[in-house]
C-alpha cells in the first residue's frame, strides 16, 4: 500500500489506519469493511463538543473522511480525497457517531463516495460526498 501491496483483510486495514493519528486519537475506529464500503464510529466525549455544547462539525467531517479513506483504499489501488462536500442536517442527539461510506462510482482515475453520519439513535446528522483520485490506476 502506498508502494506496498493493497490491504485485503480487515486486520491489515486496521493496522494501516491505526497510523491515521488525527482520526484515531479523536476516537475513530473501523467497525466493518468490505468491497466499496466501510462503517466507522466514534464515541463522543466533552472533547468533541463546541462552546455551545454541540458536537463540533469538524468531528462529523473527520469521521466521514476517515470512513471514506477506509472504504476507498480497501482492496483497491491507493486513493486520496480531491474534494468533499458536507451538509449538516441535524444536531447529534446520541453519544456515538456512525459513518457509513458507500462507493457510488469508480472510474479508471477517480471515484465518488457518499457517507452518511448518524448517531446511535438513528439521527441523520450529516451527509458527505467525496471525490477521490486514484494514485496508481490499473
Amino acid at each position: 500500500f502506498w508502494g506496498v501491496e493493497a490491504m485485503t483483510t480487515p486486520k491489515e486495514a486496521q493496522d494501516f489506519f491505526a497510523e491515521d493519528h488525527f482520526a484515531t486519537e479523536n476516537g475513530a475506529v473501523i467497525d466493518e469493511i468490505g468491497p466499496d464500503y466501510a462503517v466507522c464510529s466514534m464515541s463522543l466525549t466533552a472533547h468533541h463538543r463546541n462552546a455551545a455544547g454541540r458536537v463540533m462539525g469538524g468531528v462529523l467531517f473527520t469521521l466521514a473522511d476517515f470512513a471514506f479513506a477506509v472504504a476507498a483504499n480497501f482492496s483497491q489501488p491507493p486513493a486520496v480525497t480531491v474534494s468533499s462536500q458536507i451538509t449538516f442536517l441535524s444536531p447529534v442527539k446520541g453519544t456515538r457517531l456512525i459513518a457509513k461510506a458507500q462507493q457510488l462510482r469508480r472510474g479508471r482515475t477517480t471515484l465518488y463516495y457518499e457517507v452518511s453520519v448518524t448517531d446511535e439513535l438513528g439521527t441523520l446528522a450529516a451527509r458527505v460526498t467525496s471525490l477521490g483520485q486514484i494514485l496508481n490506476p490499473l
Side-chain angles (χ1 to χ4, degrees), residues 23-122:
T24 59
E25 289 175 17
N26 276 288
V29 296
I30 300 169
D31 296 318
E32 189 177 332
I33 189 170
D36 308 324
Y37 83 96
V39 178
C40 299
S41 66
M42 178 185 293
S43 293
L44 299 170
T45 67
H47 171 80
H48 298 102
R49 300 195 179 273
N50 61 21
R54 304 248 178 161
V55 175
M56 177 73 85
V59 174
L60 281 79
F61 185 80
T62 295
L63 184 61
D65 189 52
F66 183 70
F68 162 79
V70 172
N73 287 287
F74 183 67
S75 296
Q76 301 289 340
V80 295
T81 305
V82 173
S83 173
S84 289
Q85 170 69 42
I86 188 166
T87 303
F88 298 102
L89 299 167
S90 180
V92 175
K93 296 175 179 64
T95 60
R96 186 169 165 259
L97 292 177
I98 300 123
K100 297 179 181 178
Q102 180 65 54
Q103 179 180 286
L104 299 180
R105 183 181 189 298
R106 180 178 287 267
R108 192 179 74 72
T109 60
T110 61
L111 47 101
Y112 190 72
Y113 273 75
E114 183 175 70
V115 185
S116 295
V117 182
T118 63
D119 61 23
E120 82 280 9
L121 304 173

